[in-house]
Amino acid sequence: MKYLKNLCKILLFCMTLVLTVPAGMQTAEAASSLAKPVLSKVVNKKTGVKFTWKKVSKATGYIVYRKTGSGSYEELATIESGSTVSYTDTSVESGETYTYTVRAYNSDGKSGRRTGLTITYLAKPTLSKLTVADDSVTVKWKAVSGAGKYKVYRKSGSGSYKLLKTLSKSKKSYTDTSISPSTKYTYKVVAVKGSYTSVGATKKCTTSIGSGVTLSSVAGTSSTAAYYAIESDITLSGTGGGYHAKLVIGTGAAAVSFGIQFDNYAVSPYTGHAAFLVENVMSNAAGGQTYTRFDYDSSKYASTDTTYHLMITVSQKGVVNVYVNYEKVGSVTNTNLANQTLYCWIEGSARKNGDSVKAVFSNIQIAQQGVINEAPTVSYVRKATGISTNAAVNASPSTITIKGTLSGLTSSQDWDSAYDSCSGYVRFY
């Protein structure tokens, strides 16, 4: 009996202890079941530093802490949502080092916090307009406070960025001389300090047309010179199954053309693509034509709605050379053009009824018997039904456009069977 009385006294004493535990101690004990947030990453963004962590079960919100340099943590922000797991700190200064950590909380209390993630904030560089010269592109930027160096990257078209140069913090410009003519580039500048980097600042440009092979450098009367030639800046667009813009040199019985052609009926792999196409017409008889496509800039294809400088030349021996952006891309031979009086013209064509074309030719120059004419005069214009042009006989327009939607053909006719009825021609004296 005495044993039972003592046991009851002990139980009563324990219950009294539990009931008299301070409220703060009860809260801390309950909060210990709320896990410390796992920190994910801290990165520089355009507007500041973005800090992220993983969601904590049963958390109703989070408290973000920050310390500057070697200072102490201070409460930075309270987030009243258990599903929000990131915070962007916009109250940062470029070149300063920050460390971030976070606690989860709910109605029972707060979790502990983990060792923080550290970063040096670097502002995004500010780039000025790119300076594009014939043989270079210059990138300039404003100094970024705290940067130890800068990295300059470049990509061509839709390709990947490649590092061009790492520069000291005193540099605020870079001139790129490793460019190609008539190429779309994007430049990116990144500020760096140790292992930390800013957001990259980017600017785009298209380089100037290069100074490679020009009409004046190849025209002449020697057996290998461009005895006849025509060059122009050309832009092609259109709709439907096929359309093209071409430069042509020839007679009424034989000719050679070079231009941009889009064709849904082309042989593979050119089906449904634009390409740089040579049509070599030895004669108008069936089977008297051959077709050759030439690559440019390591690509099988050309692009519509893009301006290219094209040139085609014919020597007295009938050797034909073709050029894209002042670069020779191929050669064919047409002996029926050798030692002949030839004519130069341009044409824009659509394949069949309902197809449209817009072929724009500018800066047209021709060479006849080795003599260059920088402003050739129109001698002849012919237009298929639905096709129009701004060119007129005896005029010398700086830009000629051949455009329209083809009509007037039967369902069985197209540019393979009724070529003249599909095209607009402009010939020059």
Side-chain angles (χ1 to χ4, degrees):
M1 193 68 179
K2 185 178 180 180
Y3 170 77
L4 290 174
K5 287 181 178 181
N6 290 335
L7 181 61
C8 288
K9 288 179 180 180
I10 292 170
L11 291 172
L12 182 60
F13 176 74
C14 292
M15 291 175 66
T16 302
L17 283 176
V18 170
L19 291 172
T20 57
V21 170
M25 290 183 65
Q26 292 182 54
T27 302
E29 196 170 272
S32 66
S33 64
L34 200 58
K36 297 178 183 178
V38 175
L39 310 185
S40 298
K41 60 182 178 180
V42 59
V43 294
N44 284 325
K45 291 292 187 179
K46 180 180 178 181
T47 57
V49 172
K50 185 176 182 181
F51 170 50
T52 59
W53 58 91
K54 292 186 178 180
K55 183 179 179 181
V56 174
S57 177
K58 298 182 181 179
T60 57
Y62 303 93
I63 303 171
V64 179
Y65 298 84
R66 183 188 78 181
K67 69 177 179 179
T68 303
S70 58
S72 301
Y73 278 116
E74 296 181 356
E75 187 174 317
L76 182 63
T78 298
I79 298 171
E80 298 178 351
S81 169
S83 59
T84 299
V85 292
S86 70
Y87 177 77
T88 299
D89 179 11
T90 58
S91 61
V92 289
E93 295 183 8
S94 186
E96 191 63 75
T97 299
Y98 301 97
T99 303
Y100 296 85
T101 190
V102 65
R103 280 178 167 169
Y105 73 85
N106 58 21
S107 59
D108 293 325
K110 304 172 185 176
S111 73
R113 62 191 184 198
R114 296 179 184 269
T115 302
L117 299 179
T118 300
I119 192 170
T120 296
Y121 174 65
L122 293 167
K124 178 181 177 181
T126 300
L127 303 188
S128 58
K129 186 177 179 180
L130 301 177
T131 302
V132 182
D134 288 341
D135 56 356
S136 66
V137 175
T138 299
V139 190
K140 294 183 179 180
W141 58 92
K142 293 182 179 179
V144 175
S145 180
K149 54 189 174 182
Y150 300 97
K151 290 188 175 182
V152 181
Y153 298 82
R154 186 190 75 189
K155 71 175 180 179
S156 176
S158 59
S160 301
Y161 280 108
K162 295 182 179 179
L163 178 64
L164 288 178
K165 193 74 173 179
T166 300
L167 301 165
S168 68
K169 64 181 181 180
S170 63
K171 301 293 185 182
K172 289 180 286 185
S173 69
Y174 174 72
T175 299
D176 177 17
T177 58
S178 62
I179 64 171
S180 297
S182 194
T183 302
K184 294 181 179 179
Y185 288 119
T186 305
Y187 289 85
K188 179 169 70 173
V189 177
V190 176
V192 180
K193 184 177 183 180
S195 61
Y196 306 114
T197 61
S198 72
V199 173
T202 61
K203 287 283 187 181
K204 296 181 179 180
C205 71
T206 300
T207 54
S208 303
I209 291 175
S211 56
V213 180
T214 63
L215 184 56
S216 61
S217 69
V218 295
T221 57
S222 70
S223 61
T224 59
Y227 200 55
Y228 287 90
I230 180 170
E231 67 174 355
S232 176
D233 295 324
I234 300 177
T235 308
L236 172 69
S237 59
T239 62
Y243 42 91
H244 70 226
K246 291 183 176 181
L247 307 175
V248 191
I249 300 175
T251 67
V256 64
S257 67
F258 179 54
I260 309 165
Q261 179 164 301
F262 174 89
D263 193 358
N264 279 333
Y265 304 90
V267 297
S268 180
Y270 303 98
T271 310
H273 291 281
F276 297 107
L277 178 71
V278 170
E279 182 178 2
N280 194 8
V281 182
M282 300 293 291
S283 71
N284 290 322
Q289 303 86 27
T290 60
Y291 301 90
T292 308
R293 294 167 178 83
F294 290 104
D295 296 354
Y296 168 66
D297 199 20
S298 302
S299 175
K300 296 181 179 68
Y301 309 122
S303 297
T304 56
D305 298 302
T306 300
T307 301
Y308 297 97
H309 184 90
L310 302 188
M311 181 167 68
I312 181 170
T313 68
V314 181
S315 74
Q316 293 187 65
K317 292 184 176 181
V319 177
V320 179
N321 292 322
V322 293
Y323 304 81
V324 179
N325 290 341
Y326 302 92
E327 175 187 331
K328 182 180 175 180
V329 296
S331 182
V332 298
T333 300
N334 188 327
T335 55
N336 289 339
L337 299 180
N339 301 308
Q340 299 288 322
T341 298
L342 306 177
Y343 300 94
C344 298
W345 68 91
I346 59 175
E347 64 179 55
S349 303
R351 175 176 264 280
K352 54 200 296 186
N353 260 3
D355 292 348
S356 70
V357 63
K358 183 178 181 181
V360 181
F361 303 83
S362 57
N363 301 313
I364 303 167
Q365 295 187 39
I366 66 174
Q368 294 172 303
Q369 297 181 350
V371 179
I372 297 174
N373 184 347
E374 296 181 352
T377 301
V378 175
S379 63
Y380 174 78
V381 176
R382 179 172 177 172
K383 299 169 288 184
T385 304
I387 303 297
S388 64
T389 179
N390 64 317
V393 174
N394 293 325
S396 300
S398 59
T399 299
I400 296 176
T401 301
I402 301 172
K403 64 179 182 178
T405 301
L406 200 61
S407 61
L409 301 178
T410 66
S411 59
S412 62
Q413 289 180 310
D414 63 9
W415 63 23
D416 289 329
S417 61
Y419 195 81
D420 287 346
S421 299
C422 298
S423 304
Y425 300 89
V426 178
R427 194 172 68 197
F428 303 98
Y429 286 115

